[in-house]
Amino acid sequence: MRDSLSLAQARRVALTAQGFLDPRHVTPTMRTFNRTLDRTGVLQVDSVNVLQRAHYVPLFSRMGPYDVDLLRRAAERRPRRIVEYWAHVQAFMPVELWPVMRHRMEHYRAQRGKWLTADDDPAFEADVLAEVQRRGECTAREIDDGAPRARENWGWNWSAARKMLDYLYMSGQVAIARRNGQFEVVYAPLERVLPPEVLAKPTPSEEDALLELVRRAARSHGVASAQCLGDYYRIGAKRAAPAIARLVEEGELLPVTVEGWHRPAYLHREARIPRAVNARAVLSPFDPVVWERARTEALFDFHYRIEIYVPADKRRHGYYVLPFLLGDRIVGRVDLKADRPERRLLVKAAYAEPGAPPETAEELAAELRVLADWLGLDDITVEARGDLAGVLSSELRR
């Protein structure tokens, strides 16, 4: 039985678990999508659209250029394969996880969600729920009077209807059917979104629900600390501990030491340890590979922070910075923007990591060409910021 991993082995295990050893298909199909989702488990949703919506990019990183209608079909057409819920944060998750999340939904119901108090009029809750049932599908804007909102503290001053709909969604009383063209949430009754066999499934005990989430996190990680396993579905290391102990006892998780890690680690018994991972991908800021920053640093020696909310003059690397994965290492980072009116991919900045191999710029240029083509952009423009910008620009001209 293996009881230790080198750091390079741990990286390869982690990347393989996330699907970076899977061959890219010439034309990705729904089968390819299902395989990729099985690796990541969830796809984080975020409203920032400076390059492409967050949930589309991890699929591209693993599958290569694909028809984004695959995701829409999986999320919006029967038989639905995925549904939005607070699985990591806001994320698409497999529909079969809905019963597993019911304990989380009950918690939000007991806490009255993020926006409500015990003093709120219970009749309003019933009225909004009835209105969703009556309409079949609706946005918050369609229910309330469309009153303007004030921009405060990086967020919207939500209307009463929007707050109530969010509470009904978080507590599992309505579901998200889709997003409209403005990326607004379209709510619907549960039976219009979830397959009847999913709704009919019994609710597992909280112990079994946590066990299932930790098991899935372990498969998606390959090798992980307790903190990693607790973070993946946002249950926390303390609540994950009994599930980890049970999986160790049953032999599904194998305790291991990882070179350079100061925390105990666990290797999933089905994890592969390949001799090499020849990946080449830009990673979304919301990719599972870089979700947990301490894990990212421990695996890749890569310090990474999202700077979207940092004032422009204080940003170190840029607004929407994507790590560049080459082989089994993160070797650079690029600040990207899709200039859709001009049909250009803008490289606002490009940086190499210490020890990046000589072929970094060449490989990054090739991957950016693939990305631009997938996004329907004709040209790539590199701005003169970052130590990789000049050579990257030269490679793209070639």
Side-chain angles (χ1 to χ4, degrees):
M1 183 180 73
R2 179 178 291 275
D3 59 6
S4 65
L5 294 173
S6 70
L7 186 57
Q9 286 174 323
R11 282 198 301 270
R12 295 197 293 268
V13 168
L15 291 170
T16 298
Q18 279 289 315
F20 286 99
L21 198 65
D22 297 334
R24 287 185 174 183
H25 294 169
V26 175
T27 304
T29 64
M30 188 59 76
R31 184 176 179 181
T32 322
F33 172 88
N34 290 337
R35 181 189 68 180
T36 305
L37 182 67
D38 186 57
R39 303 285 192 251
T40 65
V42 287
L43 297 169
Q44 185 172 338
V45 175
D46 189 83
S47 61
V48 176
N49 195 27
V50 66
L51 180 70
Q52 173 59 292
R53 300 287 187 194
H55 44 289
Y56 291 114
V57 181
L59 296 170
F60 169 79
S61 299
R62 291 153 178 79
M63 293 162 48
Y66 72 99
D67 183 352
V68 296
D69 194 52
L70 284 176
L71 192 148
R72 294 194 187 100
R73 282 166 50 199
E76 299 177 14
R77 299 182 193 171
R78 296 179 181 177
R80 290 180 193 254
R81 294 169 170 85
I82 56 176
V83 65
E84 277 194 54
Y85 191 64
W86 203 258
H88 171 70
V89 288
Q90 189 75 14
F92 283 110
M93 67 179 189
V95 291
E96 66 264 20
L97 268 184
W98 191 269
V100 177
M101 291 294 177
R102 285 182 183 140
H103 292 284
R104 186 169 296 185
M105 296 168 186
E106 284 300 320
H107 166 77
Y108 283 116
R109 184 176 292 206
Q111 297 297 318
R112 299 293 291 167
K114 297 179 292 184
W115 308 110
L116 309 179
T117 70
D119 297 328
D120 287 310
D121 182 6
F124 184 55
E125 177 179 342
D127 289 345
V128 173
L129 183 58
E131 188 65 10
V132 175
Q133 292 284 348
R134 185 185 72 80
R135 290 173 179 261
E137 287 190 358
C138 63
T139 65
R141 189 162 45 88
E142 289 169 336
I143 286 185
D144 66 24
D145 59 3
R149 282 104 168 121
R151 191 80 167 173
E152 295 174 356
N153 300 321
W154 297 101
W156 290 104
N157 182 13
W158 285 2
S159 69
R162 179 67 177 88
K163 293 176 185 177
M164 181 57 71
L165 284 165
D166 186 66
Y167 164 70
L168 293 173
Y169 151 71
M170 295 291 282
S171 60
Q173 299 180 71
V174 300
I176 294 178
R178 57 187 173 85
R179 300 270 182 160
N180 65 17
Q182 290 73 48
F183 206 62
E184 292 175 298
V185 172
V186 178
Y187 300 92
L190 298 181
E191 61 273 14
R192 286 181 63 107
V193 176
L194 294 156
E197 62 271 20
V198 170
L199 289 173
K201 279 187 178 179
T203 302
S205 69
E206 187 166 7
E207 179 184 359
D208 285 345
L210 291 173
L211 184 72
E212 179 62 19
L213 294 177
V214 172
R215 176 182 285 120
R216 287 174 179 252
R219 286 204 305 261
S220 292
H221 272 318
V223 63
S225 68
Q227 286 75 13
C228 301
L229 295 173
D231 178 73
Y232 209 81
Y233 289 95
R234 291 297 170 92
I235 60 179
K238 185 176 180 180
R239 293 182 70 217
I244 293 171
R246 181 172 161 187
L247 292 172
V248 169
E249 182 181 353
E250 295 174 356
E252 189 166 346
L253 287 183
L254 310 175
V256 293
T257 59
V258 175
E259 176 190 2
W261 286 24
H262 304 297
R263 297 171 174 173
Y266 304 91
L267 178 70
H268 193 272
R269 67 183 174 197
E270 296 175 4
R272 296 174 61 186
I273 311 176
R275 292 184 178 181
V277 173
N278 297 311
R280 191 187 74 187
V282 287
L283 304 176
S284 161
F286 306 102
D287 193 291
V289 171
V290 294
W291 270 347
E292 219 281 327
R293 305 304 188 217
R295 174 182 174 83
T296 305
E297 290 194 41
L299 275 174
F300 300 100
D301 191 24
F302 183 74
H303 181 81
Y304 183 53
R305 297 293 183 270
I306 295 177
E307 298 183 90
I308 291 172
Y309 302 118
V310 175
D313 60 340
K314 296 183 178 180
R315 291 181 194 134
R316 235 185 115 191
H317 295 107
Y319 179 79
Y320 200 75
V321 176
L322 289 79
F324 178 49
L325 174 69
L326 187 63
D328 65 2
R329 295 172 55 209
I330 295 176
V331 300
R333 60 187 92 199
V334 280
D335 183 15
L336 298 181
K337 179 179 181 179
D339 181 357
R340 296 177 181 90
E342 298 296 324
R343 299 180 65 85
R344 294 183 303 165
L345 177 63
L346 302 181
V347 182
K348 308 289 288 182
Y351 300 88
E353 288 299 295
E359 66 271 19
T360 295
E362 178 185 358
E363 295 288 350
L364 177 56
E367 190 63 18
L368 291 179
R369 289 190 189 99
V370 178
L371 174 64
D373 186 60
W374 177 61
L375 294 173
L377 306 174
D378 299 326
D379 298 310
I380 303 175
T381 300
V382 181
E383 298 182 8
R385 184 183 177 198
D387 60 355
L388 196 59
V391 64
L392 177 62
S393 181
S394 297
E395 286 291 342
L396 285 165
R397 285 197 300 270
R398 289 174 56 188

